[in-house]
Amino acid sequence: MTNIPLIPVLLLGAVLFCLGLLAVITKRHAIVVLMGIELIFNAANLNLVAFNRLQPDLMQGQIFSVFVMVIAAAESAVALAIILKVYQYFKTVNLDQIGSGTDT
Amino acid sequence: MNPVLLLFYVFGLMAVGAAAFMVATKNVLYAAFGLLITLLSLAAIFILLFADFVAVAQLMIYVGGVVVLILFGVMLSNQVQGKAVQSESVNRWSGSLVVLTLFGGLAYLILSANYLVPAAPLASAGDLPETKTSIITIGIRLITNFALPFEVASLILLIALMGAAYISTEEKHD
Amino acid sequence: MNLNAAFTSTAEQNSLALWALVVLLLPLVAGVLLLVTGRKLPRQGDWLSIGATGLSFLLALYLFFQVWEMPVVHVVQNWFGLAGAGSNTFAFTIGIYLDNLAVLMLVIVTFISLLVQVFSVIYMHGEWRYHQYFGYLGIFTFSMLGIILADNLLLLFVFWELVGFSSYLLIGFWYEKDSAGRAGKKAFLFNRVGDIGFLLGIFLFYTYFQTFDLVILKNAVAGGINQGAAFLFPASVAGNSSVTLSYSLLTLAGLGIFCGCVGKSAQFPLQVWLPDAMEGPTPVSSLIHAATMVAAGVYLLARCFPFFTEDALLVISIIGALTALLGALAATAQYDIKKILAFSTISQLGYMVMGMGVGAHDASLLHLVTHAFFKASLFLNAGIIIHAMHHAAHELADEHSDVQDIRNMGGFRKILPLTFYAYIPAAAALVGLPLFSGFLSKDAILTGAWAWAGFKSLNGNYLYYLVPLFAFGSVLLTGFYMARHCFYIFFGHSKLYQAPTLLRASKTTETSGWLLVPVAVLAILSLAFFFSFNPFSYAGSWVMQGLSWQKLLFGQPGLSADLLPAITAYLHEAAYISLATAVLSVLLAVGGLWLGWLNYKSARRGGILTTAAPASSFGRLAYHHFYLDAFYEKVIINPFMRLTGRVAAFDNYFIDYSLNTFAKIMVVLAKLISWGDRWLVDGTIHLVVKVAGFVGKLGRFMQNGKVQTYYIFSVLGLILLVLYILAF
């Protein structure tokens, strides 16, 4: 198996992180924001996996990436439940119309 | 060209392209599919990085769980009547600016960081047996070194399950 | 000069002087009160003014009985002093001088002022500046009383100017009317012209005698020794050292004082202001032009009689005669009811001045007294008629007809009978018919003039007879114009308002008693009985005896020392003059009346009752008052206006131009500064505001309650953190 250099992986993680962040910041749809969050988790996972190979004995990176996935799954389950609840209450999942009640 | 590296770049580009598509499209369903492709590509990259267990977990949890959940969420939270679910954007310029700046900063950090371990060989052929999967090691570590986090994670999953179930139920007031 | 002698006065004299001061001040106090608070008083305070004047009149009567034919009251106080060269100071005194003339004038002025104010109650009713009118009358009366009481020339001049000022106020009372305002100004300015001469005369006397006090001056002048071409005043009378003054200088000084009289008493050539002064309210005309203001000039002549040399008296007599004739001539051509009386006043004042000039000092003063009554009566009479005409014009809404034109009147004898009966005595007195006061005084003046001419022409120069000739001619003319006046107004038929009800107050009453009573009282006082127990002879008149120069001047005629005794002696020799004058004047007066009747008849027959101006050239000349006004306009006013026009042009083109340029520069500077203000100062402020606004917006943006925005900022914080890490 040949090596994959560290820096492109980290850059890929950074790009994914930024795209996820962009989705979180700019999207009005709550579910799309949730997708952005998932993307950020994945970017983090990528980094964890990449750094895992600097000390492969303990497998800390991979184990923590698994934990992150678990947390993310739990998080998305709860978040989706909240979104559905919000939708029942406000009849919308538009973040700008939720909460303040204004429609800007 | 190293075929592994080539594969990495292919999947990397694929992940980035799908993620960009997810951000750019207004259609929420398309965005969900963009996310799906990104997650699949990442799973492939994990494999390339010798993290087969993580890649499998990625496939199972994300592709099989989260994305399906999201799709259900999309479907349940819209009065879809033959019309695509739209998602408008806010803070487009300030968001892009902030994100670009952040990326610039991150890239600069990544490129200029002084790594304690020489970066070039991420894994030497001698250090790790190439056929050996990481599953055994992970399993051992989980029940030895990382038993407590493992238990805590299971607890979190349980709580999240209960919480999600509680939130989703119809409130029965009086 | 021994001033201390004058300061000694008994307690009785002091009290009399105090009462005189009260008489003087009462009208002033009332007038000022009215001017300040008049609008708030009930009836606008006319009762206050009338009451004060009435009280003043009673006090004047009291003073009259205390002082008449009694020793003179002269009370002097130090006024102020001026430091002179070295250690000596020039003391100025202020004092009250009460002799026969002063107390008589006090009574007359307060009495006529009282009657005029009573008359004004109705006449000025409804005037919106009613209280001001009475206030002005009070001030005017005060000034006139001041002239009478003043014991020195300086004080007299002060009151003299006050009279001019208050007459300006009264003549221009209806200043809304352009002509009234102009008439007031004209009267004031023409008086100023005379006053300049007056002031110069006063200065001349002060320069050589170092005193304004009339008594001291009289004594000094009486002590002068005639040296032919000059007078020598020894040290005993002229102060520290003897003074020698040339005859011509003294003549000039006397003429200077006479100038004041020319202005105030409307003598040729300054008489043009008087006809215009008819623009004032009619009661004012009555007060100013009968008893007070114009009489002040003659009063001044009487007070200053010792200061006139023979030559000065000659000039005075010529001017007086000329004025008498011109005034009478002008009166014959007038149609305005008041203008005729105005020119008649000029003519009568000419008589008085001429009387002074020819040495008939007593006769002149007698005429002053009698004239005051009958002329006041005539003016008030005219006031009633104008009032009635106004009433009629108002009823008929007639705004075009001239209510003062006698051609628009006629037949008032039957419509306003009481007015007519009050008119007759006064008019007869003016014409000089026997039994009426005017006969006495006019006769006295004419006799004096004739005697003077006879005495003067003893050296063979018969030109002096021109003066009495003018005077007799005026008598004829007086008869003529008064006949016109009378016939036009009271006989025939009214052209405009024939219905009696239009002119009368009501069917039964002719007009208000407030109007009639003063006129009637004055008309009764036009009878000769009141002035002389023998109505055909002035010689026994108590007034004339009380006012004789022997008593007023203590038998010291002053600079014309020899003239008066000589004339008296001459008259004593040529006794026929008295009788001839009496007969001749009556004949002339009757002849004048007859001519006037003829003129009126022919005018009626010719139907020229409505033509605007006389057709004949002489008539035009007289109608326009010999074009004196036009002459002044051309010779004095126009060049002066041209001069002022040039000065104004200089002002405009040079001074104003500089100013304007300066102003423009200032404006440009101001523009620059404002630009700087707007862009620099305001700009700074706006910038601050914008920044604050921007910060505010940013703050609002940061706190807009949207989680995504907060997220952007937390990411920014992250970036900053990264930058920090990068930087260090």
Side-chain angles (χ1 to χ4, degrees), chain C residues 388-410:
Chain C
M389 291 289 284
H390 263 300
H391 184 251
H394 185 68
E395 291 282 312
L396 292 180
D398 179 3
E399 286 174 3
H400 305 292
S401 305
D402 184 359
V403 294
Q404 297 194 7
D405 196 323
I406 56 173
R407 284 166 298 188
N408 289 336
M409 306 170 185

Side-chain angles (χ1 to χ4, degrees), chain A residues 17-27, chain B residues 23 92 95-97 99:
Chain A
F17 174 82
C18 286
L19 285 171
L21 188 62
L22 193 60
V24 169
I25 290 174
T26 59
K27 293 297 173 182
Chain B
V23 173
R92 195 173 290 161
S96 312
L97 204 66
V99 165

Side-chain angles (χ1 to χ4, degrees), chain C residues 28-210:
Chain C
L28 175 70
V29 172
V32 170
L33 264 179
L34 277 181
L35 283 183
V36 176
T37 64
R39 209 173 271 290
K40 288 172 198 134
L41 294 174
R43 288 187 55 81
Q44 299 210 11
D46 55 357
W47 49 272
L48 182 66
S49 180
I50 291 172
T53 314
L55 205 59
S56 199
F57 168 62
L58 290 179
L59 283 173
L61 265 185
Y62 165 74
L63 285 175
F64 178 76
F65 288 116
Q66 292 295 310
V67 175
W68 182 260
E69 301 285 18
M70 297 282 175
V72 167
V73 175
H74 186 198
V75 176
V76 184
Q77 292 287 321
N78 250 324
W79 191 4
F80 59 92
L82 288 181
S87 61
N88 57 332
T89 55
F90 297 102
F92 291 84
T93 59
I94 188 168
I96 287 176
Y97 186 79
L98 287 173
D99 61 354
N100 287 351
L101 180 58
V103 286
L104 186 62
M105 286 301 289
L106 275 189
V107 171
I108 292 172
V109 168
T110 50
F111 182 57
I112 291 181
S113 177
L114 176 66
L115 291 183
V116 162
Q117 290 185 27
V118 170
F119 186 89
S120 304
V121 169
I122 294 296
Y123 193 84
M124 300 299 283
H125 183 73
E127 187 70 33
W128 69 283
R129 287 183 289 130
Y130 188 71
H131 66 287
Q132 264 181 25
Y133 171 79
F134 278 94
Y136 291 163
L137 278 183
I139 289 172
F140 181 84
T141 312
F142 157 75
S143 331
M144 190 60 209
L145 293 174
I147 290 184
I148 293 166
L149 289 172
D151 78 323
N152 67 57
L153 284 172
L154 184 62
L155 198 56
L156 196 146
F157 186 76
V158 170
F159 283 109
W160 188 265
E161 292 302 315
L162 271 176
V163 165
F165 167 68
S166 44
S167 73
Y168 163 75
L169 290 179
L170 284 170
I171 293 168
F173 182 70
W174 284 321
Y175 58 75
E176 300 92 340
K177 237 181 6 178
D178 202 28
S179 56
R182 257 187 284 131
K185 268 186 283 182
K186 190 172 176 184
F188 194 70
L189 289 177
F190 269 92
N191 271 306
R192 285 297 73 65
V193 175
D195 290 345
I196 291 167
F198 185 23
L199 210 51
L200 289 177
I202 293 177
F203 288 162
L204 270 176
F205 277 108
Y206 186 79
T207 309
Y208 293 108
F209 295 101
Q210 264 98 49

Side-chain angles (χ1 to χ4, degrees), chain C residues 255-389:
Chain C
L255 286 179
I257 288 182
F258 176 60
C259 272
C261 167
V262 167
K264 201 65 87 191
S265 283
Q267 296 300 297
F268 180 83
L270 300 181
Q271 82 271 42
V272 289
W273 67 266
L274 202 145
D276 286 25
M278 292 301 128
E279 291 289 347
T282 309
V284 167
S285 308
S286 169
L287 184 62
I288 291 183
H289 306 135
T292 53
M293 178 174 169
V294 294
V298 181
Y299 182 83
L300 178 72
L301 286 188
R303 278 269 175 258
C304 299
F305 192 76
F307 309 151
F308 298 118
T309 61
E310 251 179 77
D311 285 354
L313 287 177
L314 178 64
V315 172
I316 292 172
S317 61
I318 290 170
I319 297 251
L322 199 59
T323 310
L325 187 68
L326 287 180
L329 277 175
T332 58
Q334 304 301 318
Y335 289 105
D336 187 299
I337 183 170
K338 280 175 77 181
K339 279 244 169 97
I340 293 176
L341 295 177
F343 283 108
S344 152
T345 303
I346 292 174
S347 167
Q348 300 303 312
L349 287 167
Y351 269 119
M352 296 176 211
V353 171
M354 181 194 73
M356 284 289 169
V358 298
H361 169 272
D362 326 344
S364 181
L365 288 178
L366 178 63
H367 197 56
L368 178 60
V369 173
T370 56
H371 175 259
F373 288 112
F374 66 69
K375 189 50 68 65
S377 174
L378 282 175
F379 266 119
L380 291 185
N381 219 308
I384 293 182
I385 290 162
I386 293 169
H387 193 63
M389 291 289 284

Side-chain angles (χ1 to χ4, degrees), chain C residues 699-712:
Chain C
R700 204 180 61 183
F701 178 66
M702 284 164 75
Q703 299 290 332
N704 65 354
K706 298 210 168 94
V707 70
Q708 287 168 314
T709 315
Y710 296 161
Y711 200 72
I712 290 177

